[in-house]
Amino acid sequence: MLWATAGVVALVFLVVLEVAARHYGLPGPITNQAREVIFPPKSGFLLYASMGLMMVVLTWRERFIAAGVAIGIDIAFVLVRWAADVKVTDGHPFGNGALWVMLGCAVIAVTRRTGRERVLLLKGVGLGLLLVAGRKTGDTWLLITSKTRPAVFDQYVATADHALGNPSWLAGRLVEATGPIGAHVLDYVYVQLAVAAVVVALYQLRNVAVERRFPRHHLVRTFLVIGLLGPGIYMLFPVVGPVFAYGPGASGTGGLHWAVANLWPDTPPPIHAPHPMPYDGITPRNCMPSLHTAWATTIFVHSRKGPRILRYAGAFWLIATLGATLGFGYHYGADLVAGVVFALTIEAALRSLERGWDRSGTQLVAHGATVFAALLMSYRYLPLEMAEHPWVFGPLLILAMTSVIHGYIRTTKLWEPEAAPVRQPEPGPEPQPEPQPEPA
């Protein structure tokens, strides 16, 4: 019933977004996903990662067959496009095969499986398709924010960011100093964040095929909830980012017409009374909070129980994502602080839902939500005071974020089952030797 309800809610949500996108003359998430059955997909890596998630419910023999079929279909698509002289300019030349395999597994589940095996396979397919649908849904959400929020609050956040020392300006100069190699590494980490999440999720779901059931809580759940709730905050607090509001934009000089001035990353913005500023109808208002930071935080949290190499990878992805979000001018430092609080609050809520709500879980979620709301209110209504007193408000921002981190660590440690000591057998009376029979 829970999975069926979640499926119906997801379908209704996708239909609503499809209608909203059509209202602005653009295809929505359902159309964009359906066209990838034939046309070059936007992200072939994501489709294969999603198929990898689906395959956690399959046996090893079935996994090899599914991977072989997906690769074979992609080879056929590449050959047909080559023969027809079709140039792939917007997307990847591969990925259709993975989508075909996931859809084929859904058909097999309905027609060839019964009982628990059918449910398990449908759950696997749903998990893979949800990750893809989440990406398409996010793209549509970003379109809606750009069309419905003509004014942005960048001046408020940039002014408040003086309390943190304008970290985006500092990180931008550092990235420029590293040259193209550092920029390419950070760009790959930033773009392939979903693939990194799949790697951690595959480790968490590695025993699904053996146990024939999913764990009650895993990374994909948190990832999807963050992607679902985050854009709602974008609508309340629209921000485009320093490279757009104070620089040339992500692709050159196209954003200078709308920018306050061409200041990023060389000159920090001056301190003055902020006000909403108009911006174009194309650039997404997707900065507050930083969802890339939120997702990277959850990858780090969920990788803590993995092997050493997974823990190192989770820490690297978090640090590199923070560097990319700041160094490319996509986010202010204030966005990152809000993103960490946002991620840990959602993770705490989902873990409380999984284990049953109690006082400690309720207090942790309430504390995180209160801190998050206080951050947004202070960015909006106290930015000038924060900029004029950085030695007061800067430590307060870090302290507020640290309080949520400390509360999460302390509370979740209490939730962990303690290892019971092995009970030693109590010493008993020494065995008496059996009497030997007397010789006749």
Side-chain angles (χ1 to χ4, degrees):
M1 289 296 296
L2 181 62
W3 279 83
T5 303
V8 172
V9 172
L11 181 60
V12 172
F13 184 67
L14 288 173
V15 171
V16 171
L17 285 182
E18 182 75 25
V19 173
R22 292 287 181 177
H23 175 71
Y24 294 105
L26 294 172
I30 298 177
T31 303
N32 284 330
Q33 189 58 70
R35 72 185 304 274
E36 291 187 352
V37 175
I38 302 296
F39 295 98
K42 292 288 186 181
S43 177
F45 292 107
L46 181 63
L47 285 170
Y48 269 94
S50 301
M51 186 185 71
L53 274 181
M54 181 211 68
M55 290 196 300
V56 298
V57 303
L58 305 179
T59 64
W60 278 108
R61 178 177 176 272
E62 292 169 337
R63 291 170 186 172
F64 284 121
I65 294 174
V69 171
I71 295 173
I73 293 175
D74 271 332
I75 292 175
F77 269 94
V78 170
L79 292 176
V80 169
R81 288 174 187 140
W82 174 76
D85 196 24
V86 176
K87 304 296 183 181
V88 180
T89 59
D90 185 20
H92 288 83
F94 60 89
N96 303 94
L99 182 58
W100 277 66
V101 167
M102 285 189 284
L103 296 176
C105 286
V107 174
I108 291 174
V110 175
T111 60
R112 303 293 297 274
R113 301 288 178 89
T114 58
R116 293 183 60 186
E117 293 300 316
R118 171 187 289 175
V119 173
L120 185 67
L121 184 54
L122 286 176
K123 285 182 179 180
V125 173
L127 189 66
L129 291 179
L130 271 177
L131 188 63
V132 181
R135 175 68 175 269
K136 303 301 179 185
T137 301
D139 293 342
T140 305
W141 259 120
L142 298 184
L143 166 69
I144 294 174
T145 63
S146 65
K147 298 298 184 182
T148 60
R149 292 296 179 265
V152 296
F153 293 168
D154 280 76
Q155 292 190 29
Y156 293 93
V157 185
T159 304
D161 221 36
H162 282 276
L164 297 172
N166 300 299
S168 180
W169 272 255
L170 175 61
R173 293 193 294 271
L174 290 175
V175 170
E176 284 186 349
T178 61
I181 296 178
H184 283 133
V185 170
L186 292 180
D187 182 65
Y188 182 83
V189 169
Y190 190 85
V191 172
Q192 301 299 339
L193 185 66
V195 178
V198 169
V199 172
V200 177
L202 287 176
Y203 175 79
Q204 293 180 322
L205 304 175
R206 65 193 183 280
N207 295 323
V208 170
V210 177
E211 299 176 356
R212 314 309 293 168
R213 63 180 181 86
F214 280 86
R216 298 185 65 183
H217 180 58
H218 50 82
L219 175 60
V220 181
R221 295 180 64 199
T222 310
F223 233 71
L224 292 173
V225 173
I226 287 176
L228 178 66
L229 298 181
I233 311 299
Y234 295 163
M235 302 292 286
L236 298 175
F237 210 110
V239 180
V240 293
V243 73
F244 296 98
Y246 293 91
S251 58
T253 60
L256 287 178
H257 176 72
W258 298 94
V260 176
N262 190 11
L263 302 176
W264 187 90
D266 300 315
T267 307
I271 298 175
H272 59 79
H275 56 82
M277 54 179 284
Y279 211 81
D280 64 22
I282 301 173
T283 305
R285 280 63 164 151
N286 61 338
C287 284
M288 182 62 68
S290 169
L291 293 196
H292 265 78
T293 299
W295 284 321
T297 301
T298 59
I299 290 175
F300 175 81
V301 169
H302 282 263
S303 66
R304 293 306 87 197
K305 292 187 178 181
R308 181 177 300 178
I309 186 173
L310 194 64
R311 297 197 301 270
Y312 287 165
F316 165 76
W317 223 268
L318 174 60
I319 295 172
T321 300
L322 297 180
T325 55
L326 292 174
F328 292 144
Y330 296 150
H331 289 281
Y332 304 90
D335 304 336
L336 273 60
V337 173
V340 172
V341 175
F342 186 69
L344 294 181
T345 303
I346 291 178
E347 177 69 17
L350 291 176
R351 291 196 62 177
S352 297
L353 184 65
E354 176 264 332
R355 66 182 299 273
W357 287 93
D358 58 10
R359 183 177 180 180
S360 61
T362 304
Q363 288 178 339
L364 176 59
V365 174
H367 175 63
T370 302
V371 170
F372 182 73
L375 290 174
L376 295 186
M377 296 292 286
S378 63
Y379 298 158
R380 178 62 177 83
Y381 296 106
L382 297 174
L384 200 57
E385 291 79 4
M386 295 172 70
E388 292 173 347
H389 303 89
W391 293 105
V392 175
F393 285 95
L396 283 177
L397 290 176
I398 301 301
L399 182 62
M401 180 184 68
T402 306
S403 70
V404 177
I405 297 174
H406 173 70
Y408 179 84
I409 295 174
R410 183 187 62 184
T411 305
T412 53
K413 278 187 176 180
L414 295 176
W415 292 347
E416 298 295 333
E418 296 183 0
V422 179
R423 185 176 181 180
Q424 302 293 334
E426 298 181 0
E430 296 183 359
Q432 299 295 327
E434 296 182 2
Q436 300 293 329
E438 296 182 358

